[in-house]
Amino acid sequence: MQKRIKSFVKNEIVLVISALLAAVSMAAVPPDRHYAGYIHWSTLSTLMCLMLVMTGLRELGIFRYFGRQLLKKRSHARSVVLVLVSLCFLFSPFITNDVALITFVPFTIFVLEYAGLRKYMIPVLSLQTIAAHMGSMISPVGNPHNIYLFGLMNEHSGTGAVEFIFMMLPYFVLAGILLVIFTFLFTIENESIIQRPYSKEIKFSGKDTSLIMMYAALFVVSLLPVFGFFRYYYALASVLAAILVFDRKTVKQTDYSLLFTFMFLFILVGNLGRIQALDDALTSIVSGNELMVSVAASQIISNAPASILLSGFTDEYFLLALGTDLGGLGTLIASMANLISFKKYTEVKNSSPLRYILGFTLINLLFLVPMLIAAGLLTS
């Protein structure tokens, strides 16, 4: 039992810390009728819908299928790496940064080893992780904190999904250009691969095809509340009902720890806002410094918790979204998504965790600097 508890704490450290902090805040502000107002139910509902849909699609192998198709005719290292990085960048706005990395990092590790490109593993995994962050930033549902902060933007100033996309577009384009430049810097021109990965066709059964079509429809349903077509609880009910009837195993395969982490953080922030001295102090620190504070806070407590914590002390939600999106770059703990890539890398035979951490941090910081300069110029 003790071993299981230690394993749970190790694997869900952010969840455990958020639960402890929420409990401490509850001692200062005992539970009352105001607690129900802390929880941003639309965020949790949209997040749960997307988690269920993406788990179903991932288990069916549809994302790996697209990746294999794109790699079939690649014969040089640079083109292979460019495709692998692009997969995370282009898919993450739709499937979220976490799912993009869970799907494509193991796929990438296999491809690099199979094609004799193992020497590129650390820079490629680092660039894939950056690509997942930078790709997801353009979408209101590209990552958990965007879902939350976009919801606040919509409530506070009526910002729509299309407007949000255009606000993030310059940073998305710049990130895409930088990813291409970094890919060229880290690969050798015209270096041939040992053997072409994934030459065989993948075929889906009739049942798989039906499920893929169902999940594609449920993905659209999950997005409809974001675009203001109907209320979030209708989407949640529809997604749950369809999955329970046609693919029940997905409910068990989905990881719900992020939902509980968000709930605990909502309680923490709600209670902090009711302690006047703390509220005044944090507001004075955050107000007018949203971009840099959110980037800095993300390096220490991870960007999703930072977004919820800081949102209680400013109404400049776009700057928080931009700051926490960029804040995912940097340290290994700047985003929970970063740990996905790291964990998968450590499972590789003869891996070097220290080399990965050093290489990952260096590449991230080199990428973060021009992105921050651009953000400072465009938001000043």
Side-chain angles (χ1 to χ4, degrees), residues 334-363:
S335 170
M336 289 181 278
N338 294 348
L339 298 175
I340 294 172
S341 303
F342 177 66
K343 185 177 179 182
K344 295 298 180 185
Y345 171 77
T346 59
E347 295 170 0
V348 176
K349 187 178 180 180
N350 298 323
S351 62
S352 174
L354 180 59
R355 281 186 60 207
Y356 181 92
I357 293 171
L358 292 174
F360 176 89
T361 305
L362 176 61
I363 294 170

Side-chain angles (χ1 to χ4, degrees), residues 234-246:
Y234 293 132
L236 180 60
S238 301
V239 170
L240 278 174
I243 291 175
L244 286 171
V245 172
F246 296 107

Side-chain angles (χ1 to χ4, degrees), residues 320-334:
L320 286 186
L322 180 59
T324 49
D325 283 336
L326 296 181
L329 310 178
T331 64
L332 199 62
I333 61 171

Side-chain angles (χ1 to χ4, degrees), residues 198-304:
Y198 291 130
S199 57
K200 294 181 180 180
E201 291 288 342
I202 298 178
K203 294 183 179 179
F204 295 103
S205 68
K207 182 183 177 182
D208 290 341
T209 303
S210 297
L211 286 174
I212 289 169
M213 291 175 67
M214 180 194 78
Y215 280 115
L218 292 180
F219 175 67
V220 174
V221 170
S222 302
L223 294 183
L224 290 177
V226 177
F227 288 88
F229 286 98
F230 54 71
R231 300 304 296 272
Y232 63 88
Y233 39 78
Y234 293 132
L236 180 60
S238 301
V239 170
L240 278 174
I243 291 175
L244 286 171
V245 172
F246 296 107
D247 197 21
R248 188 171 297 181
K249 69 181 185 299
T250 294
V251 176
K252 294 181 179 179
Q253 292 168 335
T254 302
D255 182 2
Y256 301 98
S257 60
L258 185 61
L259 292 175
F260 289 103
T261 299
F262 267 45
M263 289 186 71
F264 291 134
L265 290 169
F266 286 143
I267 292 171
L268 171 63
V269 173
N271 285 334
L272 289 178
R274 292 172 65 184
I275 302 173
Q276 194 59 49
L278 275 175
D279 182 68
D280 292 342
L282 288 171
T283 299
S284 66
I285 293 171
V286 177
S287 183
N289 305 297
E290 289 85 359
L291 181 64
M292 295 307 299
V293 169
S294 56
V295 171
S298 297
Q299 306 307 308
I300 303 167
I301 63 173
S302 184
N303 55 0

Side-chain angles (χ1 to χ4, degrees), residues 40-234:
H40 206 262
W41 297 109
S42 62
T43 296
L44 296 182
S45 174
T46 301
L47 189 56
M48 185 170 179
C49 286
L50 290 170
M51 287 167 62
L52 288 165
V53 170
M54 293 310 153
T55 298
L57 286 171
R58 190 183 72 240
E59 291 301 311
L60 288 167
I62 187 65
F63 307 129
R64 287 191 296 272
Y65 168 78
F66 283 121
R68 291 169 77 151
Q69 292 300 107
L70 287 169
L71 282 171
K72 279 171 65 175
K73 296 183 178 180
R74 309 293 165 182
S75 58
H76 293 94
R78 182 168 288 168
S79 62
V80 169
V81 171
L82 194 56
V83 168
L84 293 171
V85 173
S86 298
L87 284 170
C88 286
F89 186 64
L90 298 176
F91 271 85
S92 59
F94 308 100
I95 68 176
T96 75
N97 56 349
D98 289 352
V99 173
L101 292 172
I102 290 170
T103 301
F104 293 122
V105 166
F107 172 80
T108 294
I109 290 170
F110 171 80
V111 167
L112 293 178
E113 292 198 317
Y114 187 87
L117 302 175
R118 183 186 173 97
K119 64 183 179 182
Y120 291 122
M121 194 169 293
I122 291 176
V124 172
L125 295 186
S126 299
L127 288 176
Q128 276 195 312
T129 308
I130 292 170
H133 289 308
M134 297 296 92
S136 67
M137 74 188 302
I138 197 173
S139 169
V141 296
N143 55 58
H145 51 278
N146 269 17
I147 295 173
Y148 170 61
L149 292 170
F150 169 72
L152 294 180
M153 290 171 66
N154 184 261
E155 292 173 9
H156 183 259
S157 57
T159 302
V162 174
E163 186 179 354
F164 180 90
I165 290 170
F166 276 100
M167 292 168 76
M168 286 291 186
L169 186 59
Y171 310 101
F172 176 82
V173 171
L174 174 60
I177 294 170
L178 288 175
L179 283 168
V180 172
I181 292 171
F182 273 56
T183 299
F184 272 67
L185 289 175
F186 284 110
T187 53
I188 299 171
E189 185 178 3
N190 296 329
E191 180 182 4
S192 297
I193 61 176
I194 291 176
Q195 51 189 326
R196 187 174 293 158
Y198 291 130
S199 57
K200 294 181 180 180
E201 291 288 342
I202 298 178
K203 294 183 179 179
F204 295 103
S205 68
K207 182 183 177 182
D208 290 341
T209 303
S210 297
L211 286 174
I212 289 169
M213 291 175 67
M214 180 194 78
Y215 280 115
L218 292 180
F219 175 67
V220 174
V221 170
S222 302
L223 294 183
L224 290 177
V226 177
F227 288 88
F229 286 98
F230 54 71
R231 300 304 296 272
Y232 63 88
Y233 39 78
Y234 293 132

